[in-house]
Amino acid sequence: MDSLDRVVRPKTKRAKRFLEKREPKLTENTKNAMLIKGGNANSTVTEVLKDIYALKKPFAVMYKKKNITRPFEDQTSLEFFSKKSDCSLFLFGSHNKKRPNNLIVGRMFDYHVLDMIELGIENFVSLKDIKNNKCPEGTKPMLIFAGDTFDLNEEYRRLKSLLIDFFRGPTVPNIRLAGLEHVLHFTAVDGKIYMRSYKVLLKKSGCKIPRIELEDIGPSLDLVMRRTHLASDDLYKLSLKQPKALKPKKKKNISHDVFGTTYGRIHMQKQDLSKLQTRKMKGLKKRPAENT
């Protein structure tokens, strides 16, 4: 038997649980992100990675050691780290004379790079520079995208999808009002992307609906798009494909109008109206003469 075809069976219960966790599932786990520092990352890039890690915790892995790699030239290191840490999202930070204060955000499909977009940092305000109360760790943020460029330009459209994947957090069945306390706002205008982070403050308004105020808590980033590596349309469609078991089954004879009202159609056998039971009245009774 060839060594490539050999099935590695777990020898301990812990190894068995580890392999079961990584098995394909109908509903996938919350996507984890790995944050990697390049071989020549400066203090600005390092602080950005730390702040994004603080926003992503606990669904993130921070690699503190410097890694000498160039994702646009060679992606094997990223794919190795992705498989090692079971992360499908990554943020790589580097700095050099040609591309100063550089970030590369991307995602994986089957442990291979699907999309990645290079962003340059033009201005940065860190979490520690803004002295306000922060949101608790693991808070699911509300994502807001402003600017027509996110819908009109294909690269910006893919960047929007990538940012939603990166920051969306776990899927939750219910939402409570007090839990809506973190906003991430992305604005695309004049060739730049502005990222802002706010805390939602619920103030008294004199009625049931509270008055909403936004307080800047950081980090704050002014970004510009540089290089892109986008998946082909066929590969992108393949990555979005859902299992048949998750697709809702079509219900027959049910329709909806523009107002959302549900209508159902029932199929019945043809009725014999002569045997239909009607209301008994004296005037409808047959007389003895009619019976003969």
Side-chain angles (χ1 to χ4, degrees), residues 47-204:
E47 286 298 319
V48 170
L49 292 175
K50 285 181 180 178
D51 284 3
I52 300 298
Y53 174 65
L55 295 180
K56 278 291 294 178
K57 282 194 300 187
F59 304 105
V61 177
M62 181 79 171
Y63 287 96
K64 295 181 180 179
K65 290 184 179 181
K66 292 185 177 182
N67 296 275
I68 302 171
T69 182
R70 294 183 178 88
F72 277 87
E73 282 77 35
D74 184 15
Q75 300 159 9
T76 53
S77 296
L78 288 176
E79 292 168 357
F80 169 77
F81 286 126
S82 172
K83 201 162 189 177
K84 182 182 177 181
S85 55
D86 193 25
C87 292
S88 56
L89 302 163
F90 68 87
L91 183 65
F92 180 86
S94 62
H95 172 79
N96 55 49
K97 189 175 181 180
K98 190 176 180 181
R99 296 183 182 89
N101 300 329
N102 206 45
L103 292 176
I104 299 174
V105 59
R107 54 187 163 188
M108 302 284 186
F109 174 62
D110 196 21
Y111 300 115
H112 295 287
V113 174
L114 180 70
D115 289 332
M116 59 180 173
I117 296 175
E118 190 176 59
L119 302 168
I121 305 168
E122 293 196 339
N123 189 32
F124 169 60
V125 181
S126 69
L127 279 166
K128 63 183 181 182
D129 292 336
I130 301 175
K131 308 297 181 183
N132 288 331
N133 292 329
K134 313 301 181 187
C135 295
E137 180 185 312
T139 303
K140 184 178 171 69
M142 295 176 282
L143 304 178
I144 301 173
F145 291 87
D148 295 335
T149 317
F150 280 125
D151 298 319
L152 301 176
N153 187 296
E154 179 59 31
E155 291 182 341
Y156 278 82
R157 193 184 298 124
R158 200 69 68 90
L159 175 63
K160 177 182 176 181
S161 171
L162 187 52
L163 291 172
I164 290 172
D165 249 4
F166 199 92
F167 290 108
R168 70 186 303 171
T171 303
V172 292
N174 299 307
I175 298 172
R176 65 187 182 94
L177 183 62
L180 302 175
E181 54 181 326
H182 188 203
V183 174
L184 285 178
H185 193 282
F186 299 92
T187 305
V189 61
D190 297 332
K192 293 184 181 180
I193 303 107
Y194 300 94
M195 174 185 167
R196 299 292 183 266
S197 178
Y198 301 104
K199 184 177 182 180
V200 178
L201 303 177
L202 304 178
K203 302 286 187 178
K204 290 183 179 179

